[in-house]
Amino acid sequence: MNKKMMTGLAFSRKLMLTAALGSSILLTSCGDNDGSPRIKDSEEKTIYEATKGTVTEVEEIEPGDDYKIIDERIIDKKENSIAIVHGLDGQIDTLSLAKIDNNSNETRYRNRSGLRTILYYSLASSYFNRNLSNVTPNSSYYKNSTAYNKSTDLKNDLKSSATSRKIRVAGASSKGYGSGRSFRSFGG
């Protein structure tokens, strides 16, 4: 063999050895060697999902899009959750929360965002929201304190019958822009 060929073979062997060494260092730094990404700073959180449903009664306060919750009840099946709407004109409509969730065009309330907002801040939000911890009745959407207090008490009943599961979420140092450090800009 000539000298150029031997130098080329030696160089290619060195290159292959360097690549193999780099790959082994990279693989050993991955931890469990399963190739899945890792969250460096994470915490375990319990998610409660409602198994029971709700009947939320609302009444129209003023013509248009102004409603208040007058009563809420818990029912056995989440998929049977409904809203009962008492209109100013005396008409009473029963709306399936499944149809509201799917933006159904079958109701006369399809363009009324106020009704949807009210439901999102009542026990009915347990139908729309996977995490029961995020279900918090808002007192300003209830007609009186009696209706509001009843709903906050019923939230505990919903939680006691809920299923729970644990998930991993980003930890405190992973949340938000610039967490743990100041990223303020100076100048214009």
Side-chain angles (χ1 to χ4, degrees):
M1 282 195 206
N2 65 26
K3 190 173 181 176
K4 284 184 178 180
M5 190 173 205
M6 288 188 68
T7 305
L9 284 173
F11 179 71
S12 67
R13 284 185 183 155
K14 286 181 184 178
L15 188 60
M16 287 176 60
L17 181 62
T18 304
L21 184 60
S23 296
S24 69
I25 290 172
L26 183 64
L27 287 175
T28 57
S29 69
C30 288
D32 293 338
N33 293 332
D34 67 355
S36 63
R38 300 277 180 246
I39 299 175
K40 289 183 180 179
D41 177 30
S42 67
E43 56 191 40
E44 196 171 80
K45 185 176 181 182
T46 302
I47 300 291
Y48 295 94
E49 294 182 28
T51 57
K52 293 188 174 186
T54 60
V55 173
T56 302
E57 284 192 67
V58 299
E59 77 176 9
E60 191 174 18
I61 301 299
E62 291 189 26
D65 207 17
D66 190 14
Y67 302 91
K68 294 284 183 184
I69 299 166
I70 56 174
D71 189 38
E72 288 189 285
R73 298 181 297 282
I74 295 178
I75 57 174
D76 287 336
K77 294 184 179 180
K78 183 177 179 177
E79 60 272 7
N80 293 339
S81 295
I82 58 171
I84 300 172
V85 183
H86 299 267
L88 284 175
D89 58 3
Q91 187 172 350
I92 298 174
D93 292 321
T94 302
L95 310 172
S96 160
L97 295 189
K99 288 182 181 179
I100 292 173
D101 193 31
N102 293 326
N103 292 321
S104 174
N105 290 329
E106 294 179 29
T107 70
R108 67 182 181 134
Y109 301 97
R110 68 179 171 266
N111 294 322
R112 307 259 172 121
S113 63
L115 180 60
R116 184 181 288 260
T117 301
I118 291 283
L119 295 173
Y120 282 146
Y121 288 98
S122 70
L123 292 181
S125 66
S126 64
Y127 179 86
F128 305 108
N129 196 331
R130 287 186 176 261
N131 187 359
L132 195 54
S133 298
N134 295 336
V135 175
T136 305
N138 183 326
S139 61
S140 66
Y141 294 121
Y142 288 80
K143 186 169 183 181
N144 55 44
S145 61
T146 304
Y148 171 71
N149 291 334
K150 179 181 177 185
S151 292
T152 55
D153 289 343
L154 288 175
K155 181 185 175 187
N156 295 330
D157 292 344
L158 274 178
K159 190 171 182 179
S160 68
S161 65
T163 60
S164 66
R165 62 187 169 97
K166 300 210 182 273
I167 61 168
R168 291 205 91 37
V169 296
S173 66
S174 300
K175 293 179 182 172
Y177 176 75
S179 290
R181 293 189 180 168
S182 174
F183 283 99
R184 293 184 181 149
S185 67
F186 296 96

